Structures are given as C-alpha cells and as structure tokens.
Amino acid sequence: MAGKITRPRPNKDRLRRTMMFMNAQRPGLIKDAYIYGCDSIMLDLEDAVAVNQKDAARFSLYHALTTIDYGDTEVIVRINGTDTEYWQEDVRVCVAGGADGIRIPKCESAEQVKEVEAAVEAAEKEFGVEVGRTLLMAALESPLGIMNAYEICTASDRMLGCAISGGDFRTSMRVQIEPDGIEINTARSMMLLAARAAGVQCLDTMYPNLDDEEGFRREVDLIVRMGFDGKSLINPKQIAYVHERLAPTQKQIAHSEKIVRSCREQADAGVGVYVVDGKMVDPPFFKEAERIIELAKKCGVYHGDL
C-alpha cells in the first residue's frame, strides 16, 4: 500500500509504565493518541465496540495502523475473546496493519495463547509480515486465569507480559471495589509472582473512578510498592503521576550509581567480594543497582555516564 506507515520491530522489554485504552472505532480520538505521552496505546476491538459495529471498528483500526505515525508509542490491540466469532478476523487486521502486539482478553489457559499465536503466524505469512514480529499479552480476568498465570506467561516466546482486568475479576469473585484493594490484592500478588518467574512484564488494572484522584494516586502508590511494571489507564490526565511514581527516585539512582561504580572498580582491581560503605554487596544487589540505572535511563531521569 503506497504511503503505508512502517513501524520498527517491537521490543518485548521496552518501557510500559502506562497503557492507555482507546476505542478503535473512534478515528477522531485515536488519530492523535500519541501526543499524550503514554508508553503504549491499547486500541480496543472488544468491550468498547458494539456487536453490530465490529466490522466498522476493524476498518477504522486498519486505517489508523497504516496511516498514522505513532512515533515511539507502542500500539497494541485488544481483540475479541477466543470464544467469539470475531477474534480471528481481528488478528488478521492487526497483523496486516502492523500492530506491535495483540492483547488476548479473558485468557485462562496456555492453549488459548497457542491458538492465538497460530492465527498470528498464519496472518504474518499471509500478509508478508516477518514471522515472530507481532507480540502477545494476556489479560487475566478470572480466578482460573490467575491460577494458570505462569503457564499462560510461558506459553509463547511472543509473550510480553500479562495484565489483570479488575472489573471482570471482581465480578467473578462476587466482590466490590474496596479502598485498600483487599478484594484483588491476592490476585495481583499471584500474577506478579507468575510474571517474574516467567520473565515477562506485569501491568495493573485501570482505576475506574475518574473523579477520585486521591483514590487513583493511592492505588498507583500501592502497585509501585508491589512491584508492577505499569498500569492500564483510560484518562490521559493519569499518565504523568504513573510515570513519576514508576521512575526511580534520585535517592535510589544515587545509591545505585554508587554501588555500580564501586563494584566495577573493585572487580577491575581483582577484588572478589565487593564492599560499599563498609557493607558487603552480594551479586543480587549489584544486579538490582544496574537494573535501577537502566530503568532510570529509559525513564529519562538519569543523567550520569554509566
């Protein structure tokens, strides 16, 4: 297609602090989505689109993917569930248009992931797309999905990570939203453990009450302490706070920089056991310090020379 936008090969390990949902059927909304500064855009073909509008939404999606330059912003598409008649055509449009990744909704098993992966590979071959280019992520929305999180996260080399969907999960558990998150925190922890064991990223659910800024910030602070990589969003006003909280603090950066510099100097001098400020630094602490420096670089808050 003449003038078709060509996106670089997606990176599984890229920064995904914020993933903002947008209705794929709303051209006026999605054409400038990259200006908000989120790390990833989630173009939705599932819940946001009425059943009789699925074809129109795919048409809008393909036009957006092939004509809009989203720059460095990642573009992922939430397809319809594998228990519907729509998902396979969703996959073909995503791949043909050049989406960076596909989100599998209501994912409960490794078999679902493999089924979608097979359809993605077939579409890549059909449309002349590099095989393996299109990434996958899983939305865990039920107790079974949470229980099978590790198997889901390791079902495909394309898997970039998983995310919990709070609305559907709470419904399946017959609970309501609580201020402290007690009704969902066990699932959050189990999903995080699975994601870390699988070596993939883990994103939290969106915060549904747009008028409750205090509640939103409290929830972001919680998931930062828990160790999440990012959060799903529905309001661009929420982006800045998530980015601020998920970036290393200057105190963390300074401490990590000191550990990395000192340990590297000691290694060059042939020292086998690293000591910084009178304390022994084990390899895990050194690796964590390196990780913090790299994260700070990605977040644009590190200005040193490591």
Side-chain angles (χ1 to χ4, degrees):
M1 176 178 176
K4 179 179 176 180
I5 296 295
T6 301
R7 296 181 58 78
R9 184 182 175 89
N11 179 4
K12 285 173 59 175
D13 300 319
R14 64 162 290 154
L15 200 61
R16 293 186 181 90
R17 299 162 296 180
T18 47
M19 190 170 282
M20 189 165 68
F21 276 76
M22 292 187 167
N23 186 339
Q25 197 181 359
R26 302 269 305 273
L29 181 67
I30 64 177
K31 68 181 180 67
D32 296 323
Y34 57 90
I35 68 173
Y36 298 121
C38 56
D39 293 324
S40 302
I41 297 169
M42 179 67 65
L43 300 179
D44 190 14
L45 290 174
E46 192 204 16
D47 289 346
V49 179
V51 170
N52 64 357
Q53 295 296 312
K54 298 296 185 183
D55 288 336
R58 290 192 202 99
F59 181 86
S60 174
L61 172 68
Y62 182 79
H63 179 77
L65 290 173
T66 55
T67 63
I68 300 173
D69 185 358
Y70 287 103
D72 293 332
T73 305
E74 182 179 54
V75 183
I76 296 177
V77 180
R78 179 166 71 172
I79 62 172
N80 286 278
T82 57
D83 60 341
T84 72
E85 62 186 275
Y86 312 110
W87 74 272
Q88 290 173 310
E89 192 61 24
D90 291 345
V91 166
R92 293 181 69 247
V93 171
C94 291
V95 173
D100 296 320
I102 289 173
R103 173 165 163 148
I104 308 169
K106 299 176 177 61
C107 193
E108 295 188 322
S109 69
E111 287 69 28
Q112 273 179 277
V113 175
K114 292 174 182 177
E115 184 179 20
V116 174
E117 180 181 43
V120 168
E121 182 171 336
E124 288 172 336
K125 292 176 180 177
E126 178 184 358
F127 296 108
V129 175
E130 178 187 358
V131 173
R133 181 193 181 279
T134 313
L135 301 179
L136 298 175
M137 68 176 296
L140 310 183
E141 309 184 30
S142 68
L144 184 58
I146 295 296
M147 296 296 291
N148 290 335
Y150 179 74
E151 289 77 10
I152 289 169
C153 289
T154 55
S156 169
D157 290 338
R158 298 173 184 259
M159 190 67 68
L160 66 88
C162 57
I164 189 168
S165 179
D168 286 272
F169 180 79
R170 291 184 179 100
T171 298
S172 68
M173 292 296 292
R174 305 172 190 172
V175 295
Q176 303 297 316
I177 297 175
E178 299 292 343
D180 59 359
I182 189 171
E183 82 290 358
I184 198 173
N185 285 345
T186 297
R188 280 174 167 146
S189 295
M190 291 177 66
M191 183 178 68
L192 271 166
L193 285 169
R196 291 293 172 261
V200 300
Q201 295 183 7
C202 193
L203 284 84
D204 188 43
T205 186
M206 65 181 68
Y207 190 77
N209 190 346
L210 300 182
D211 296 323
D212 185 8
E213 180 67 19
E214 181 180 347
F216 169 73
R217 291 186 174 225
R218 185 169 58 243
E219 183 166 277
V220 172
D221 293 344
L222 169 67
I223 67 151
V224 169
R225 295 197 302 273
M226 292 184 74
F228 276 85
D229 296 294
K231 187 168 181 61
S232 300
L233 304 176
I234 53 176
N235 189 335
K237 293 181 180 179
Q238 298 172 333
I239 294 171
Y241 188 71
V242 178
H243 284 192
E244 175 189 338
R245 290 294 286 113
L246 281 171
T249 65
Q250 289 304 310
K251 182 177 181 180
Q252 288 176 312
I253 293 170
H255 180 65
S256 298
E257 190 175 36
K258 186 173 187 178
I259 289 176
V260 172
R261 289 188 187 280
S262 180
C263 289
R264 286 180 179 176
E265 290 172 358
Q266 292 177 65
D268 291 341
V271 177
V273 179
Y274 305 146
V275 178
V276 180
D277 291 336
K279 298 179 180 179
M280 187 173 69
V281 177
D282 292 329
F285 291 99
F286 175 67
K287 289 182 179 179
E288 175 62 8
E290 286 190 314
R291 186 194 70 81
I292 289 174
I293 293 297
E294 289 305 307
L295 177 60
K297 289 178 181 178
K298 290 181 179 179
C299 293
V301 295
Y302 179 70
H303 308 292
D305 56 2
L306 284 179

